[in-house]
Structures are given as C-alpha cells and as structure tokens.
C-alpha cells in the first residue's frame, strides 16, 4: 500500500537536548538511525542490523541519567516512522510490542514526541496486525483525545470529521431501516455503513 504518513525528517520542531552526556550520545545515535532509515535502500539494512528493536528499546527504557530524554524518544519514534513504511519491518515493529509503547508516547505533552509516535501508528494501521494491536492498546481513544486537543487552527478539520461521522451514522441508520424488509442474505458485504478505506 501507499505511504499514509510521509517520512519524518528533522525539521523546525527539534527536540530539547538533555544535560546528561550519556543521553545526548544515545539521542545522537537514534537520530543517525532515523536519518539512515529515510533512504529506501537502507531501511532493510537498518532493520536487519536490529535497528527497529534498538529504537523500540529506547522507548521502553529509562534514560541513563534518570528520565528518558525527549530527544531520544523523538528520534527513536521518527526512525520507527521511517522504517514502518516497509511492510515486513512494520510487522516486526508490531510483533516486537511497539504499539503499546507508541500509544503511550502519543499522550506525551511534548508535541514532537506525540507527532512522531502518531506517524508510526498511522503507518502500522495500514496492516491488520497493526490495527488489532492498536485497538488492544487503547490507541483509538488516545488518538481521538489527541485530535480533540488540537489548536483552534485545526477546528475546521475537527468539525468536518465530526460532521462526517454524524452523517455516516445517520446513513447507517437509514440503510438499516430500509433493508429491514429485505430477504435474508441479500446485499452481502458490510453494507452502506461499512468502514471507509483511505484513498
């Protein structure tokens, strides 16, 4: 499938650096893996060397000087976002327990961490195993909460999504009532209220 979320590059929202030298070194290594994983021909090489597992481990571990640094978490999630474009690597991230870690990071108060984690989940949600893991980890509620907390600049988008959901619900109810007299088995599939696939 096509890439739902574009590769995450280091941009204007640079994560804050740590005062701890060991954490700065770890963050720099994670940043290097993230940048290497931007190249299509290097994704498999990074993953084959254990890059995805190493980045997941950074999300699960405490920092070397206490709490994990924001820079480490952000670069690790950005690297996973870039790697998760590859089907097999995405499956490995899910199998490695990455979804619960990423769902937790979506709730971060640091925008760069939440953005990077959301990018990974967007890519993983293209796959059945990723969607199931996302549901099990409570990711839907966490993502809805994140969207609901967006700045007022995004209010039109939120309003559009809300109106679309209401329209779909009304359409589903109408379809259900109009098909009540239909013969059993007629129509097949999930009906008019079925899920919409991303274009």
């Amino acid at each position: 499938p096509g890439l739902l979320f574009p590769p995450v590059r280091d941009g204007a929202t640079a994560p804050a650096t740590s005062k701890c030298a060991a954490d700065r070194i770890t963050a720099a290594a994670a940043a290097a893996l993230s940048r290497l994983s931007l190249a299509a021909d290097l994704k498999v090489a990074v993953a084959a060397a254990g890059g995805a597992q190493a980045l997941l481990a950074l999300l699960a571990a405490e920092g070397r000087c206490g709490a994990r640094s924001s820079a480490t978490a952000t670069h690790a999630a950005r690297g996973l976002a870039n790697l998760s474009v590859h089907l097999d690597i995405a499956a490995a991230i899910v199998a490695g327990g990455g979804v619960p870690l990423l769902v937790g990071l979506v709730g971060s108060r640091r925008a760069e961490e939440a953005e990077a984690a959301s990018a990974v989940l967007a890519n993983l949600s293209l796959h059945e195993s990723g969607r199931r893991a996302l549901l099990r980890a409570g990711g839907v509620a966490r993502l809805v909460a994140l969207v609901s907390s967006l700045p007022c600049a995004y209010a039109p988008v939120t309003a559009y999504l809300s109106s679309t959901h209401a329209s779909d619900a009304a359409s589903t109810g109408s379809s259900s009532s109009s098909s009540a007299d239909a013969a059993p088995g007629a129509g097949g599939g999930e009906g008019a209220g079925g899920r919409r696939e991303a274009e």
Side-chain angles (χ1 to χ4, degrees):
L3 173 61
L4 179 61
F5 203 95
V8 181
R9 304 175 186 273
D10 292 321
T13 55
T17 56
S18 171
K19 295 180 179 179
C20 172
D23 281 346
R24 290 199 303 272
I25 293 171
T26 302
L33 289 174
S34 176
R35 289 164 185 166
L36 285 169
S37 65
L38 280 169
D41 58 335
L42 291 181
K43 295 183 193 297
V44 174
V46 171
Q53 290 85 346
L55 294 174
L56 284 175
L58 289 179
L59 294 183
E62 291 292 322
R64 297 188 181 185
C65 300
R68 180 193 60 218
S69 75
S70 175
T72 297
T74 302
H75 288 307
R78 285 174 176 173
L80 291 169
N82 296 331
L83 290 171
S84 63
V85 176
H86 191 285
L87 291 173
D88 293 337
I89 301 174
I93 292 172
V94 174
V99 172
L101 293 172
L102 293 160
V103 168
L105 197 60
V106 165
S108 172
R109 293 183 179 181
R110 298 182 181 274
E112 61 272 12
E113 294 181 12
E115 177 188 9
S118 298
V120 191
L121 293 177
N123 288 339
L124 298 183
S125 67
L126 288 170
H127 315 290
E128 180 64 24
S129 61
R131 290 192 289 270
R132 291 183 180 277
L134 190 59
L135 288 171
R136 288 195 300 269
V140 173
R142 185 63 62 86
L143 289 168
V144 169
L146 179 62
V147 171
S148 301
S149 68
L150 290 173
C152 58
Y154 292 91
V157 178
T158 306
Y160 170 76
L161 292 174
S162 299
S163 64
T164 301
H165 175 73
S167 176
D168 287 347
S171 175
T172 301
S174 176
S175 297
S176 298
S177 59
S178 63
S179 60
D181 297 329
E190 293 187 358
R195 294 187 299 273
R196 291 183 177 180
E197 298 296 331
E199 291 294 335

